[in-house]
Amino acid sequence: MKFLKQIYLLVALVSTLVATKMSAQSFEPTKQGLQFSAQDLDIKIEFYSNNIVRVYKTPKGVSYDKKSLSVVKSPEKTVVNFEQKGNNKLLKSSSIQVEVNPVTGGISFYDASGKLLLKDKDYGTQFSAIDDGGTPSFKVREGFLLDKNEAVYGVGQIMDNKFNRRNSSHHMQNENMSTYSPYFMSVKGYGVFWDNNSISDYNDNPQELSFSGIGHCADYYFMYGKNADGVIAQVRDLTGKAPMLPLWAYGFFQSKERYHTQDESLDVLKKYRKLQVPIDVIIQDWRYWPEYQKSDSLWNSQSFDKERFPDPKKWVNEIHKLNAKLLIVTWPGFGPKTDQRKEFDSKNMIINFDSWPPKSGARPYDVFNPEALNIYWRYLNKGIFSYIGNDGWWLDSTEPDHINVKESDFLLPTHLGTYRSVKNGFSLMHNKGIATNQRLTSTDKRVVILTRSGFLGQQLYGSNTWSGDVQSTWEMLEKQIPAALNYTLMGIPNWNSDIGGFFAGRWKKDGGNMSPEFQELYVRWMQFGAFTPMMRSHGTDLPREIWNFGDRGTWCFDAQEKIINLRYKLLPYIYSTSWEVSNYNGTFMRPLVMDFAADTKTHEIGNEYLFGRSFLVAPVTKYKAKIWPVYLPQGSDWYNFWTNEYYKGGQTVTTDTPVDILPLYVKSGSIVPFGPKVQYATEKKWDNLEIRVYPGANGEFLLYEDENDNYNYEKGVYSTIKFKWNDLEKTLTIEDRKGNFSGMIKSRKFRIILVKPNQTIADNSTEITKSVFYNGKQTHVKL
């Protein structure tokens, strides 16, 4: 018996030594990670920073040099410590730990304290060989293990009225109204970006969460941020920060399908000015180009019909004289008789499937070809930007539209492979080409792009994605909210939708613009739109300009005017939030889970959100709703914006919602600046701002100002003023102003209001607690 025990011990010792030797031989250290082979895979793990780890896998012996369309970050110098953990290897930065199993290929991610965050499954990566349009490739699948009740978000803008993306499956193919990226964020404070631009699939079930698509590698980034803001900061570090948009881009936009002549759009602006309803932007939709009456062979020629737009330079000058801006549409597809199409065809830079409009012969250019991006801009700049001096772009059909679909279309070649292997990156590259070329052409105007699709990384290009050609229904309004919140949780902060919904023909039989239900739907949608990054009215079938709903004094006109005026009063708050988004990786539309993750009820709430750090918004999405339930998260107290009624957090309250009232609450400790009443964003200086302090907690606010529309802010040409509220001492400190810029207000007045719980502040109130003259030096205001 003793002899047998000695044999067992000897065998165990030999096995341990062999395993240790095999383990040591399996791993090859690299500068900031390691590489090894397991399960017929070559696997490379590399720290891009203390918080970001890249995992890269290919079939064993099959090398592939991946060029990302989204990732702009190079690995930064990171101290990585290596330890042995049994037969596994442990890699540690200051923020995360990565455990690697050399046999199964499994990878586990932990925080610095050793708390498990995520598992890349043992045997969870699969490569199935396929023929991809004549090129050997793979169907790639990557599986992860999550906690059973772990909430995740992201994946894209999905119109299913769901917020938490667990236990759902999605075919990720970017189309009109469906905008996907293979990314998810966990409530545990990490995110995963599976860097693949192909038509893909997301599937989550109790066994695993997986991505699958076409490619030559499995390539993903694990990002740890501790909380949602931290994850978004890592996303922006990896794929690009969001630049500042100009101040005017946060005003009101008006468009329709479509203004037929230059005089028609000018008349619209003139009428807004005559009515003294604020507006900043008019948008010109399609078919301003020649010969559209005969055919669409000149579709998107990026030139102007001489009869309907006889003097486009004068047209834009007149728009500017009316203190407004112009966005003009351009498409990725070109009709067969356009000069652009002829050049693209001659250089094999067209993706040969039919695009919009039907029977036109229009086809999209190859956005994946860098030379094609430059050619596109050459025509766009010559025909429009440098010719007429427009202020921004409406990039329609950036999925792009695909009609008369054939399966073989998806195997068509592009510069980077088959169309199906890169399709979801189309919008990203189209936006990139225009944004980067405009910046090379001029730095006097910030890039402003309205686009119908998106992909992770597009935030780098001044893009604002809208939700597509949605139906004008209450159900669709309701679906906009969680779709927007999941989209912005991908780190892409700018989003909007057609106020009132695009297709409104269903309402014609009920009186069109005079239909009481359509009017109410439009007003409720506009209230929602006022608390999105872009407030834009647009649609077809029924005109959307404010006077089409009645005259001033009628409820529908007055309700619209009220919310538009509120949007403009909040411009100092919104523009300062834009600086937080750009400089500090902030988010405009903040799901409650971002700020109140400890309150587990917020994990499933996708119909409310914070706009900036202070305003809780709960849009009304039902007809004739006179009251509306609003959940106020635990962790703060809350003020009803309209009445100043004061509530403790952690409860659902019933809010009175007459048609002109949007359920709106302000977080205690908030400091909110209100600007002057204006007709356009830059009409008046902010030299007499109202500053409202909502007591109940300490708080601070950073007021940001700059030259409003150029890139000088990137050179430090801006100013900030920090306000700090000490709730115990009831003291507001206005700190020293930092920075300066041309035209900066050096001396100004702040009208301070200490909001009193349950006491309403009347409009244009004279009940100012204190008026403070401020010359840039720190001052304390005792309230």
Side-chain angles (χ1 to χ4, degrees), residues 570-774:
L570 288 173
L571 282 180
Y573 173 83
I574 294 170
Y575 199 54
S576 297
T577 300
S578 176
W579 172 246
E580 183 192 351
V581 168
S582 180
N583 195 58
Y584 300 107
N585 299 306
T587 301
F588 279 110
M589 300 177 72
R590 302 176 60 81
L592 301 187
V593 71
M594 288 191 74
D595 295 273
F596 303 98
D599 183 347
T600 56
K601 290 183 180 178
T602 67
H603 297 185
E604 303 292 334
I605 295 177
N607 62 346
E608 300 177 17
Y609 58 97
L610 294 189
F611 186 66
R613 298 280 181 174
S614 298
F615 286 95
L616 188 154
V617 187
V620 175
T621 57
K622 303 292 183 187
Y623 183 40
K624 292 184 176 180
K626 302 304 181 186
I627 58 172
W628 197 253
V630 179
Y631 181 71
L632 303 176
Q634 191 170 15
S636 176
D637 296 337
W638 301 90
Y639 291 80
N640 183 314
F641 172 75
W642 306 103
T643 67
N644 288 334
E645 290 174 278
Y646 187 74
Y647 298 93
K648 293 290 183 181
Q651 63 173 317
T652 298
V653 300
T654 299
T655 305
D656 291 330
T657 53
V659 73
D660 66 336
I661 293 295
L662 164 71
L664 198 59
Y665 287 80
V666 185
K667 186 171 63 174
S668 63
S670 293
I671 303 167
V672 181
F674 287 78
K677 186 175 182 180
V678 293
Q679 299 304 300
Y680 54 93
T682 58
E683 182 186 11
K684 298 177 184 177
K685 291 187 175 182
W686 295 348
D687 56 355
N688 191 12
L689 294 183
E690 178 183 301
I691 309 295
R692 292 190 194 176
V693 178
Y694 291 82
N698 293 336
E700 62 180 50
F701 182 84
L702 191 70
L703 179 67
Y704 172 85
E705 297 168 290
D706 63 14
E707 294 173 346
N708 296 328
D709 190 3
N710 57 44
Y711 287 99
N712 288 342
Y713 75 90
E714 294 182 343
K715 304 172 185 176
V717 182
Y718 62 85
S719 75
T720 59
I721 302 172
K722 180 177 284 189
F723 296 77
K724 296 182 72 172
W725 171 248
N726 186 310
D727 198 59
L728 181 63
E729 298 179 1
K730 296 294 182 283
T731 299
L732 179 69
T733 300
I734 309 173
E735 295 187 350
D736 289 345
R737 180 180 57 231
K738 295 182 179 179
N740 62 78
F741 60 91
S742 175
M744 182 182 72
I745 302 167
K746 295 184 179 179
S747 296
R748 66 205 306 169
K749 183 169 71 173
F750 292 122
R751 296 174 292 121
I752 314 297
I753 292 180
L754 180 62
V755 176
K756 296 180 180 179
N758 305 313
Q759 292 187 20
T760 303
I761 301 172
D763 289 341
N764 303 314
S765 172
T766 57
E767 300 169 3
I768 306 300
T769 305
K770 285 194 178 179
S771 290
V772 178
F773 290 93
Y774 177 78

Side-chain angles (χ1 to χ4, degrees), residues 130-137 214 408 410-413 417-421:
I130 61 168
D131 181 286
D132 189 30
T135 300
S137 188
I214 304 297
S408 58
F410 295 100
L411 298 179
L412 289 169
T418 62
Y419 179 56
R420 71 175 178 179
S421 71

